[in-house]
């Protein structure tokens, strides 16, 4: 891995993150066993798309292993896949496991750059990830909406940011605004909902919305 001195000074305005999720909704309707991984961050959409399309194969999977493997946005629409924004790959396994590879764009607020030809940011990053899921009338959860809220160079920076993402003094949103609000203690790395889940909150409405702030 190159040092910061080896990274060029050319600074992109946006960063493009590859988000890889696996879930088995049939066996786990609340999505509690959904796994989220961020294989890499890139300085161009072209580089991120190339990485997204090779993501499953880089992870050791083979094309023949999937009962369905799609990369065409028009096919995504015809299949009725919800939350298609940024979706690059949609695949399913014979046992019902679903694989999604998405590209999520965020401003390059930390002025990250790279000298790698593939556009990959070469430094270790910590991501604050917000996962939202809705439940209707006590039924199974809809597919989670997963977004990267912040990218940081240290765990402590990411943790401090994650603690306040769901709150807004300006809009009058506090911990008391939620039906349930769980937050990891000062020396803890989870709030009881999985490793590195810093905040888990639920709010009552016509549908129950659940938001989880996780550091990946």
């Amino acid at each position: 891995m190159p040092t910061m001195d080896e990274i060029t000074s050319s600074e992109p305005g946006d960063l493009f993150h590859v988000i890889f999720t696996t879930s088995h909704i049939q066996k786990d309707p609340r999505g509690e066993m959904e796994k989220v991984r961020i294989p890499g961050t890139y300085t161009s959409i072209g580089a991120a798309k190339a990485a997204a399309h090779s993501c499953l194969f880089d992870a050791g999977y083979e094309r023949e292993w999937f009962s369905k493997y799609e990369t065409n946005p028009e096919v995504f629409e015809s299949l009725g896949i919800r939350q298609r924004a940024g979706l690059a790959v949609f695949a399913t396994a014979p046992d019902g496991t679903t694989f999604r590879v998405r590209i999520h764009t965020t401003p390059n607020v930390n002025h990250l750059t790279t000298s790698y030809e593939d556009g990959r940011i070469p430094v270790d990053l910590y991501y604050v990830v917000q996962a939202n899921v809705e439940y209707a009338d006590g039924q199974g959860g809809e597919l989670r909406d997963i977004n990267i809220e912040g990218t940081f160079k240290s765990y402590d920076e990411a943790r401090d940011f994650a603690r306040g993402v769901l709150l807004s003094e300006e809009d009058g949103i506090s911990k008391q605004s939620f039906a349930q609000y769980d937050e990891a203690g000062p020396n803890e790395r989870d709030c009881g909902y999985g490793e590195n889940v810093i905040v888990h909150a639920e709010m009552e409405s016509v549908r129950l919305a659940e938001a989880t702030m996780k550091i990946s």
Side-chain angles (χ1 to χ4, degrees), residues 20 37 54-66:
F20 176 26
R37 189 162 63 87
S54 67
C55 182
L56 288 173
F57 309 121
D58 291 343
Y61 298 102
E62 296 187 13
R63 175 64 181 85
E64 294 75 17
W65 192 80
F66 301 103

Side-chain angles (χ1 to χ4, degrees), residues 9-216:
S9 59
S10 177
E11 181 183 311
D14 290 319
L15 296 176
F16 304 89
H17 314 279
V18 176
I19 303 177
F20 176 26
T21 63
T22 61
S23 58
H24 197 145
I25 301 300
Q26 291 88 342
K27 293 183 179 180
D28 179 36
R30 287 182 62 89
E32 292 172 353
M33 296 302 295
E34 185 173 59
K35 297 180 181 179
V36 180
R37 189 162 63 87
I38 303 172
T41 292
Y42 299 82
T43 58
S44 74
I45 185 64
K49 284 183 177 179
H53 287 151
S54 67
C55 182
L56 288 173
F57 309 121
D58 291 343
Y61 298 102
E62 296 187 13
R63 175 64 181 85
E64 294 75 17
W65 192 80
F66 301 103
S67 55
K68 181 182 297 181
Y69 184 94
E70 300 292 349
T71 60
N72 188 334
E74 294 181 359
V75 176
F76 298 157
E77 184 173 1
S78 68
L79 291 174
I81 299 172
R82 296 189 59 188
Q83 298 163 344
R84 298 188 300 272
L87 187 63
V89 177
F90 178 87
T92 57
D95 67 355
T97 302
T98 300
F99 302 80
R100 290 177 173 81
V101 184
R102 292 178 49 215
I103 298 172
H104 186 73
T105 307
T106 64
N108 185 16
V109 296
N110 286 316
H111 312 291
L112 299 172
T113 58
T114 183
S115 60
Y116 279 14
E117 291 186 3
D118 65 0
R120 182 186 176 94
I121 297 294
V123 295
D124 292 333
L125 297 172
Y126 296 86
Y127 304 90
V128 175
V129 178
Q130 179 172 340
N132 298 324
V133 62
E134 294 183 346
Y135 303 96
D137 301 323
Q139 301 300 312
E142 300 288 348
L143 175 66
R144 292 190 182 196
D145 181 20
I146 296 174
N147 294 297
I148 295 174
E149 299 295 332
T151 306
F152 301 88
K153 297 179 183 178
S154 76
Y155 179 88
D156 289 341
E157 286 181 305
R159 181 191 173 88
D160 288 344
F161 182 80
R163 291 178 63 247
V165 168
L166 299 179
L167 309 177
S168 173
E169 183 176 348
E170 179 180 342
D171 296 328
I173 301 175
S174 66
K175 297 177 183 180
Q176 289 70 39
S177 302
F178 297 88
Q180 179 177 336
Y181 192 96
D182 298 291
E183 181 179 334
N187 298 315
E188 299 174 341
R189 290 207 170 194
D190 72 78
C191 62
Y193 287 85
E195 184 179 3
N196 286 324
V197 175
I198 304 303
V199 174
H200 176 93
E202 297 182 6
M203 60 187 303
E204 294 290 347
S205 60
V206 177
R207 299 166 66 112
L208 178 62
E210 175 184 298
T212 299
M213 301 306 308
K214 180 177 182 179
I215 298 177
S216 297

